[in-house]
Amino acid sequence: MYSIEAKDVNFYYGDFLALKNISMQIEKNSVTAFIGPSGCGKSTFLRLFNRMNDLIPNIKLEGKIMVKGEDVYSKNVFVDQLRKEVGMVFQKANPFPKTIFENVAYGLRVNGEKNKKKIEQVVEQSLKGAALWEEVKDKLNRSAFALSGGQQQRLCIARALAIEPSIILMDEPASALDPISTLKIEELIFELKKKYTIVIVTHNMQQAARVSDKTAFFYLGELIEYDNTDKIFTNPQKEATQNYVTGRFG
Amino acid sequence: MVQLHIDTELFKLKQSLQDMWIIVEKQLKKTRLAFLDYDKAMARQVIAREKMVNALELKIDSECESFIAKNSPVAIDLRLVLAYINMNNNLERIGDFCESISNYVLNHMSGKLDENFAALLRIEEIFDCANDMFIFAKDALIEEDTEKAEKIFGIDNLIDEIYHNSVKVIAEQIKNDVSKTEEYLLLYSVIRKLERIGDRCNNIAEEIVFYLEAKVLKHNEKEKKKIEKDFK
């Protein structure tokens, strides 16, 4: 069974057809990169996987989005349950105005976890999973805002891990970070892949080439090419893909 | 469309490699004259120019390294720069063979090769083949024409055939006059070098096909035979 499967997806913002007949399968424990110019629909598509587009007015979805074989837009699916399964990390780190500890514990608390010991264990595990524990273990009660941008982004990843998702969506997670912090996020993605399925939207071609197993190139709402990353970056089959990855898109 | 910086850089690389082609082509032509006409002055020119070939090889290597470091090329750009690195190396080796043959002319020849013996060895033909392969390879790269590159594989087979024939001819000569064994073996080494020039042109043709079509022909005799068959 695929981690994520899209079948004949059309998506509208009002009258505007933002995604055109997209079908795609994403395998478990893999990293898939979505690339394409701004406005091509890659973030829109990503946000369908955990229904982040739901609150936008006048949207319409045709086709199916399946997560672990279940249609996420069926009436039986509760959005909060879906988002426990499909975590998300955004372009800009968005920690809560709370302590480092409370940021990670937040998801557990809103899900009714009261066992202090259990919460402490999960916070430590999640911070370790996000490669942040060694840097913050002695200052867990400090404000999350005291952390650097790169640390804040890893804190957000730890927060996502705390509720034990199986899929993590990353929407340009390193675009606002310096090269060292970017490298740490990329190293983290390699580690996380062992336990999670990761889908990442990125404008950084080299990042897509480095971290992903598969790459999907989108243009004007269409999925132009979806193949192994090695293939996309050495011998893409479509001219549009070649023009984009070599920077000659025009 | 606006000329991108990466295209300007690639153009500079292409220019440097073309300089290398021009120098090595001259080396090959002069070596032919030096050997076939026993022209010592020409042989000296080849040897003197070899340093320039080596220097240009280093310059192109450095330019390719810098291009990769600065541009992180992918897809066709990556294949192009990888092909350039290998072509550069093969051209330099062709330059080495020219120098070696010129050294033979200066140090081991005492006059033009006997006409009948040269005909038996088909020595002029092997020089022509090497030259044709070189020109085809150069044109194939400039015109980005894989068909031209693939023609080289057929000529390489002819060079191999001439080479194997020459081994038999030289072996026969040694049998007839053992006292000239060393002389014949040295001559054999010249023919061997010409055969190796053919191999290097063959490698260059493989690189051109790799760059243009992303097909790897290196160590893929089956695919190459198929291409040769298509041309017949």
Side-chain angles (χ1 to χ4, degrees), chain B residues 114-129:
Chain B
D114 173 73
E115 226 168 84
N116 292 333
F117 186 40
L120 270 178
L121 289 171
R122 296 162 71 186
I123 199 97
E124 199 167 341
E125 198 179 345
I126 201 168
F127 264 112
D128 288 344
C129 283

Side-chain angles (χ1 to χ4, degrees), chain A residues 206 209 232-236 242-243 245-250, chain B residues 1 4 6-7 10 72-79 213-214:
Chain A
Q206 289 308 309
I232 295 283
F233 286 94
T234 56
N235 185 24
Q242 172 140 296
N243 286 341
V245 297
T246 58
R248 290 185 183 79
F249 209 77
Chain B
M1 200 197 251
L4 294 173
I6 191 169
D7 290 324
L10 280 173
S72 305
V74 296
I76 195 165
D77 297 337
L78 177 62
R79 297 203 304 273
E213 293 186 355

Side-chain angles (χ1 to χ4, degrees), chain A residues 190-208:
Chain A
F190 286 121
E191 276 305 305
L192 294 175
K193 189 177 110 168
K194 293 171 192 161
K195 284 168 76 177
Y196 309 91
T197 302
I198 296 169
V199 187
I200 177 172
V201 165
T202 180
H203 278 288
N204 182 335
M205 290 300 103
Q206 289 308 309
Q207 183 169 73

Side-chain angles (χ1 to χ4, degrees), chain A residues 67-220:
Chain A
V67 167
K68 294 167 98 176
E70 196 172 352
D71 181 355
V72 301
Y73 286 85
S74 94
K75 283 176 186 158
N76 306 327
V77 170
F78 294 102
V79 175
D80 52 350
Q81 284 300 316
L82 172 69
R83 290 183 189 157
K84 274 177 77 177
E85 190 63 32
V86 188
M88 192 155 190
V89 177
F90 298 87
Q91 180 176 4
K92 193 173 178 305
N94 53 356
F96 302 138
K98 291 174 178 289
T99 65
I100 294 167
F101 184 93
E102 284 305 322
N103 260 276
V104 185
Y106 189 81
L108 296 167
R109 293 202 201 282
V110 296
N111 278 295
E113 184 59 63
K114 291 202 169 79
N115 184 330
K116 205 179 156 200
K117 200 117 188 135
K118 171 87 192 292
I119 292 174
E120 281 174 1
Q121 268 177 3
V122 173
V123 168
E124 182 176 337
Q125 254 172 19
S126 305
L127 286 167
K128 280 180 177 166
L132 190 60
W133 175 251
E134 288 303 320
E135 293 162 57
V136 301
K137 64 183 178 190
D138 301 324
K139 46 185 175 185
L140 292 172
N141 290 322
R142 283 202 201 157
S143 165
F145 295 134
L147 298 173
S148 72
Q151 287 172 324
Q152 286 186 21
Q153 192 62 302
R154 279 181 284 144
L155 180 67
C156 293
I157 293 173
R159 193 174 62 192
L161 299 183
I163 50 166
E164 297 179 332
S166 65
I167 298 166
I168 303 172
L169 309 177
M170 297 183 169
D171 196 351
E172 297 185 52
S175 63
L177 303 181
D178 64 61
I180 304 287
S181 304
T182 298
L183 191 66
K184 282 189 177 162
I185 297 286
E186 288 179 7
E187 287 299 318
L188 183 55
I189 290 171
F190 286 121
E191 276 305 305
L192 294 175
K193 189 177 110 168
K194 293 171 192 161
K195 284 168 76 177
Y196 309 91
T197 302
I198 296 169
V199 187
I200 177 172
V201 165
T202 180
H203 278 288
N204 182 335
M205 290 300 103
Q206 289 308 309
Q207 183 169 73
R210 279 192 298 263
V211 303
S212 67
D213 303 300
K214 287 205 156 197
T215 296
F217 169 58
F218 293 83
Y219 182 56
L220 296 176

